[in-house]
Amino acid sequence: MAARDPGFIAGAVPGAAAGRRRVRVAAYAGGGAPGGAGAGRAGAGPAAPAAPGGSGGAPRGSAGEARAGAGRAQARGAGGARESGPAAPGGNGPALGRFLAKAAAVTAGLTAAGAVFGLVRDQTIAHLFGAGHDSDSFLIAWTVPEMASTLLIEDAMALLMVPAFSHALARRSASRAGLTRMAARAQDPVRLLVGATLPRLLVMLAAVASVLVVAAPLVVAVLAPGLPDPELAVECTRLTALTVVSFGLAGYFSAALRAHRSFVPPAAIYVSYNVGIIGTMVALHTLWGVRAAAAGVAAGGLLMVLVQLPAFIRNVGFGPPRAKGAPRSQRDRDRPTLIAFGVIAPVIFFAVFRQSQVLVERFLAASLPPGAISHLNYAQKVAQMPMVLSLMICTVTFPVVAQAMAGGEREKARRRVEQDLALACLAVLMGTALVIGYAPQIIQVLFERGAFTHQDTLATASVMRVYGLGLLGHCLVGALSRPFFSTARPTWFPALAMGAGLLVNIVAGAFAVGWWGTYGIAAANAAGISTTAVLLLTGLGSRIVPIQRGRVAVSIGRLAVSAAAACATGWIAGPMIPDPLLSAALGCLLVPAMFGATGTAIRALEVTALPGQIDRFTSQFTQRFRNVR
């Protein structure tokens, strides 16, 4: 599931000698992508303070300003190493290209590593527990960390705390001139923010986790009312409820580190999470059965915190509970306000509605024969891999769109959004063709071993082919929602569109599950997410970014034709080779070849222009790493 959206917050930042100036803060909430900002627009006089965690030109004023500017000239790179330079990541030209390339390299590498470990995790679950009552019970309990991840790591926490830390960093840069080290430490806005928010957060998270532990039977009854013998699911839910605390801390640390432009620890959290699950399952499954998987989720959540703790202490630190001797107005300024919550409330509802698709599926599948929930889960996890990889394009380039929106450069934002949509749709449709065409071979290679039988392979592959019909919708929802959340004022349109899609999912699933079982549930998911995608595409052009909707629709249509031809080719050619591994490997060559040939024949511009775009993107990576100091 997706979710991770940045937004620009315009805040007034006090300058050292030029009064209050406006800077744009790029508050990035994605999985390991940039969170900087361009320098503030200023008139004559000393340069405006650098954006939080960013870099800026050295001030030309007093000695105190020069010292502050020299400190700001050092910026955290994506790998955590320091590099110098005047260009902020929100700027233009080669500096922006190099920054995006570096952020993309870090994000791509750690995202790929997390995906690989996630695949190994699912393979281990399938091998040890198969697709039956035990795995169904664990997957119901896994709903808690899935919801917690969306709210506490990927969306709500990030969109609340990244702007808060960014503003605190801006105030720190502007207020240190003329202070002693002890005084600067005592009045550090970043440490004051931590002291004002972290204790309250821990108390709230602990209270929620305690309620979930006590109310686990009720939670299971609501999530899966038709589940026979729910006691195992209740025990697993009590273990996974502990992730509410660990995920909340992990999300808080991630937001703080991204605001400080330290990207490696936040991007590595899912690697550590999956390592914790795998290790615990392997060590304890003979003693605890599927409960070992639930304990592994709790252990993985703890590792998500520990992998970021050293960097958090080094970059952020822990502060006093409040600023002693400071006026109340300053203490209030150093923690998020209800206004900030109001800004992200639409994002919270959007994320909850989107993640609720999983709740709907498991609720409907609970009354089906044992193994139905597991088949849906494995099919969805594999099918969504092309969507996750395609959205990496939008994740990395989104700060460019957000900055253009904040600066009123609507034409620049339009071009960027249209280009990102084209590339993301190309990637996801090519992956969809492979997933649908070679579904049995892929599932057999990945999962058919141990307790996961050949019948499980056939059932999961069939469901995955139905899920594949909704991959384009999932990709479009992830890509189109980002520009909506880049505006300065909150917008409820994405949440309403997601709510409409969820309603379609619920109604269609309730009718279809009785006739087609798991296939009906997967088809309802595809129908619901496609409804949301159409609404967002329609609303984006008329409300936020004036994209040419007709042109985008024609472009997607041509790519869909190419995907259909490639999918049909794979569907026919796949069974011709008995060995599933060899068949899937050849499919990875055959499907893109047919996709490209069909796209060239029907003059799909995204296909014909792809070689040049790959060359330019590769040159950015090469140039960036040649110039690393």
Side-chain angles (χ1 to χ4, degrees), residues 2-8 26-31 34 150 153-160 162-163 258 344 346-348 350-351 354 391 394-395 398-399 402 477-486 494:
R4 311 147 217 144
D5 301 292
F8 268 75
Y28 196 80
T150 299
I153 298 178
E154 297 170 5
D155 285 327
M157 178 71 74
L159 286 174
L160 177 62
V162 170
R258 285 177 186 138
I344 69 162
V347 184
I348 294 176
F350 173 82
R354 190 173 185 186
L391 285 179
C394 302
T395 296
F398 187 78
V477 168
L480 292 169
S481 61
R482 286 164 164 78
F484 279 100
F485 295 131
S486 70

Side-chain angles (χ1 to χ4, degrees), residues 235-585:
E235 294 178 12
C236 291
T237 300
R238 285 176 170 148
L239 289 170
T240 59
L242 301 177
T243 59
V244 171
V245 177
S246 58
F247 280 19
L249 282 176
Y252 187 93
F253 288 176
S254 295
L257 290 173
R258 285 177 186 138
H260 285 75
R261 299 188 64 198
S262 176
F263 301 116
V264 169
I269 59 176
Y270 287 110
V271 175
S272 59
Y273 174 61
N274 289 320
V275 168
I277 297 176
I278 295 168
T280 306
M281 281 194 299
V282 171
L284 300 177
H285 75 277
T286 56
L287 296 176
W288 292 357
V290 79
R291 298 172 188 82
V297 171
L302 179 60
L303 290 179
M304 294 172 84
V305 176
L306 295 179
V307 77
Q308 297 181 97
L309 184 59
F312 181 84
I313 294 174
R314 182 173 62 252
N315 289 279
V316 185
F318 297 98
R322 59 181 169 179
K324 296 180 179 179
R328 182 178 179 84
S329 59
Q330 178 180 342
R331 297 200 304 269
D332 290 341
R333 185 186 64 180
D334 289 330
R335 59 176 178 262
T337 64
L338 293 177
I339 295 177
F341 178 80
V343 170
I344 69 162
V347 184
I348 294 176
F349 280 94
F350 173 82
V352 170
F353 288 158
R354 190 173 185 186
Q355 189 64 29
S356 294
Q357 296 173 102
V358 177
L359 303 182
V360 172
E361 292 176 12
R362 292 176 183 169
F363 181 90
L364 295 175
S367 59
L368 296 177
I373 295 176
S374 299
H375 297 152
L376 287 166
N377 173 74
Y378 294 131
Q380 187 183 75
K381 292 290 176 59
V382 177
Q384 287 192 348
M385 289 183 68
M387 182 268 295
V388 173
L389 295 177
S390 67
L391 285 179
M392 195 187 308
I393 301 168
C394 302
T395 296
V396 172
T397 61
F398 187 78
V400 183
V401 179
Q403 186 183 15
M405 296 281 291
E409 300 173 290
R410 296 172 64 84
E411 181 62 21
K412 179 180 178 181
R414 181 192 66 79
R415 291 195 304 268
R416 182 73 257 176
V417 169
E418 289 183 354
Q419 183 178 359
D420 288 350
L421 284 174
L423 291 176
C425 289
L426 185 150
V428 76
L429 284 172
M430 189 183 300
T432 299
L434 181 63
V435 162
I436 295 178
Y438 285 86
Q441 292 80 11
I442 293 173
I443 296 299
Q444 187 173 357
V445 170
L446 294 180
F447 297 115
E448 191 176 314
R449 58 184 61 86
F452 198 90
T453 66
H454 186 66
Q455 291 302 317
D456 293 326
T457 294
L458 297 179
T460 302
S462 299
V463 173
M464 189 168 77
R465 280 175 163 164
V466 181
Y467 264 131
L469 301 177
L471 285 183
L472 177 61
H474 282 287
C475 176
L476 288 174
V477 168
L480 292 169
S481 61
R482 286 164 164 78
F484 279 100
F485 295 131
S486 70
T487 56
R489 64 185 185 278
T491 173
W492 285 92
F493 187 84
L496 296 176
M498 195 68 243
L502 180 63
L503 181 61
V504 171
N505 189 358
I506 294 172
V507 175
F511 279 103
V513 67
W515 293 336
W516 300 305
T518 54
Y519 307 129
I521 295 174
N525 178 283
I529 200 67
S530 298
T531 300
T532 300
V534 171
L535 291 175
L536 290 179
L537 182 61
T538 303
L540 182 65
S542 60
R543 296 168 178 267
I544 306 298
V545 180
I547 61 173
Q548 300 177 10
R549 290 170 290 182
R551 179 179 176 182
V552 171
V554 170
S555 173
I556 294 175
R558 289 179 176 174
L559 291 174
V561 171
S562 303
C567 176
T569 302
W571 197 310
I572 296 171
M576 294 181 179
I577 301 176
D579 183 78
L581 179 59
L582 179 59
S583 179

Side-chain angles (χ1 to χ4, degrees), residues 5-47:
D5 301 292
F8 268 75
I9 307 296
V13 179
R20 299 180 67 85
R21 301 176 183 229
R22 306 289 292 182
V23 298
R24 294 192 210 108
V25 179
Y28 196 80
R41 299 183 184 276

